[in-house]
Every structure is written in structure tokens, then in C-alpha cells.
Amino acid sequence: EVQLVESGGGLIQPGGSLRLSCAASGFTVSSNYMSWVRQAPGKGLEWVSVIYSGGSTYYADSVKGRFTISRDNSKNTLYLQMNSLRAEDTAVYYCARTIAAQMDVWGKGTTVTVSS
Amino acid sequence: DIQMTQSPSSLSASVGDRVTITCRASQSISSYLNWYQQKPGKAPKLLIYAASSLQSGVPSRFSGSGSGTDFTLTISSLQPEDFATYYCQQSYSTPQNSFGQGTKLEIK
């Protein structure tokens, strides 16, 4: 079964760091484009970052320079390293397999709360 | 940046109704438009890609149309499980794939 499972969310103080993980099963992360999308409480969807199968990475302007997307091929896992966290980064973070820019498989999400 | 605007923002309808949701892009995006359904507390689900192609496993009562700047998602006969929030997403300016603000479909 094709599946994505996120983990690593939690409560973190402003300025802190957190690393999210997204474990894949049923397909190979490194052979696909993989995205992170977030949703602030009561708000819509916001694209955050993508890593291409070739390794190129891209970020939304709102997180550029603070977040880093990566993958571990041996673990078939996607990551999002989040540094210098702000209150406005509070959201549910989803990972998604991305094929031709449409996101066809999503995880259930992990919640990040940035608050003192 | 390409801005995506959905209308209406919310909609009340009854089971069996035909419903249309509109998405407008701030510039032409050809047919690079996807539609997602999201239920409360759940992840989004891909319904339509490339403006009019039905994702595998999605009921045929869902359909998409349009090209350029104007797109529609139509549900031909609303079922109880269709009450959710719907988002459009442009995939023209990859990788900056922006979403619309969402349309909440509620039971009348």
C-alpha cells in the first residue's frame, strides 16, 4: 500500500528548531518529487517546499533561508528541517508525493505549534 | 506570482443538487490546474488534475473544465460525503504551485 506517515511535530518556542520526518511505504521517495504543504489553523493550504528526484530543492519565499528539505534514500524518508521558527509557522504540515506537480498521495499531517 | 481566486468562498446545497465551483487564475495557466477535496481533520485528496482528468478512484460525478484563466469543478449530484472544502491549485509556475483560498461546501 502506498502510504506516507509524518512525525516530529510539537510545541516549540519562537526561534527554535524542529525536524519533521515523512516515512514512505509502497513507493520510492528518491524516484519521485516530494513536497511539503502546510495549513495554519482555520486557513487554506500553502505550498512550502519540494525536492525533485534529481535532488533540486525549492522553497516558498516565506520559509526560504530557514527551512531545508532533504531525504534519506536508505530510510525512504523525507525531512523538513525548520529553523528560526516563528508564530506564523504554526500549522499542520503535510508531506505529499508530487507527480507532474499534482499531489496524489498525502500523509495525515503533523502539527507544529510555535509559541512561548 | 500567480494568484488563484475561488468563488464562492462558501456554498450551501442539498443532497442531489448540481454544484459548480469556480477558480480564476491571475494569468493564463493553460490547463495546469488541479482540484482537491479536504474534509475536517483530514489530509487533502486529489480529485482532478490537468483541469479535466479524473484521478483514479474518484467518482464520476466529479468533473473539471476550463483552460487559460477560468476553471470549474462540477459535482453533478451531491452526495452526503461530498460536503467538504475544495481547493484549486495551479501547477503552471512549478515549483511555486499556489492554491486557491478554498470553497467550503455545506449542507443546506
Side-chain angles (χ1 to χ4, degrees), chain B residues 2 4-7 20-35 48 50-52 63-74 88-92:
Chain B
I2 299 176
M4 307 302 294
T5 304
Q6 291 181 230
S7 60
T20 297
I21 298 169
T22 297
C23 179
R24 176 163 289 175
S26 59
Q27 67 181 72
S28 176
I29 58 171
S30 185
S31 296
Y32 293 93
L33 192 283
N34 309 311
W35 289 98
I48 302 284
S52 60
S63 64
S65 64
S67 66
T69 60
D70 295 321
F71 302 86
T72 58
L73 172 69
T74 299
C88 63
Q89 178 214 16
Q90 63 83 14
S91 52
Y92 179 83

Side-chain angles (χ1 to χ4, degrees), chain B:
Chain B
D1 291 2
I2 299 176
Q3 308 300 319
M4 307 302 294
T5 304
Q6 291 181 230
S7 60
S9 295
S10 63
L11 173 61
S12 294
S14 302
V15 172
D17 284 353
R18 179 183 181 90
V19 167
T20 297
I21 298 169
T22 297
C23 179
R24 176 163 289 175
S26 59
Q27 67 181 72
S28 176
I29 58 171
S30 185
S31 296
Y32 293 93
L33 192 283
N34 309 311
W35 289 98
Y36 299 86
Q37 176 194 66
Q38 187 181 33
K39 297 181 180 179
K42 301 295 186 182
K45 173 186 174 182
L46 178 65
L47 298 177
I48 302 284
Y49 62 94
S52 60
S53 295
L54 194 67
Q55 174 70 357
S56 176
V58 174
S60 59
R61 63 181 180 272
F62 291 92
S63 64
S65 64
S67 66
T69 60
D70 295 321
F71 302 86
T72 58
L73 172 69
T74 299
I75 309 172
S76 60
S77 178
L78 269 176
Q79 298 302 301
E81 60 268 29
D82 300 336
F83 292 95
T85 299
Y86 293 84
Y87 294 93
C88 63
Q89 178 214 16
Q90 63 83 14
S91 52
Y92 179 83
S93 65
T94 299
Q96 304 277 354
N97 300 315
S98 47
F99 291 89
Q101 83 278 13
T103 295
K104 187 174 184 179
L105 178 54
E106 299 175 303
I107 300 174
K108 184 182 287 184

Side-chain angles (χ1 to χ4, degrees), chain A residues 28-102:
Chain A
T28 303
V29 164
S30 62
S31 299
N32 288 271
Y33 292 5
M34 297 294 297
S35 299
W36 287 97
V37 174
R38 68 184 180 184
Q39 187 170 36
K43 302 298 184 181
L45 302 171
E46 179 187 16
W47 172 78
V48 172
S49 182
V50 65
I51 183 167
Y52 286 177
S53 51
S56 298
T57 59
Y58 300 91
Y59 302 91
D61 289 343
S62 58
V63 307
K64 198 174 296 182
R66 301 187 299 122
F67 290 11
T68 302
I69 190 171
S70 64
R71 67 191 181 210
D72 184 330
N73 297 344
S74 66
K75 295 183 178 179
N76 207 30
T77 297
L78 177 74
Y79 301 100
L80 187 67
Q81 177 68 43
M82 304 186 297
N83 299 330
S84 303
L85 282 161
R86 307 166 180 167
E88 54 265 35
D89 296 318
T90 294
V92 176
Y93 284 74
Y94 297 100
C95 62
R97 186 175 73 175
T98 304
I99 295 180
Q102 58 256 17

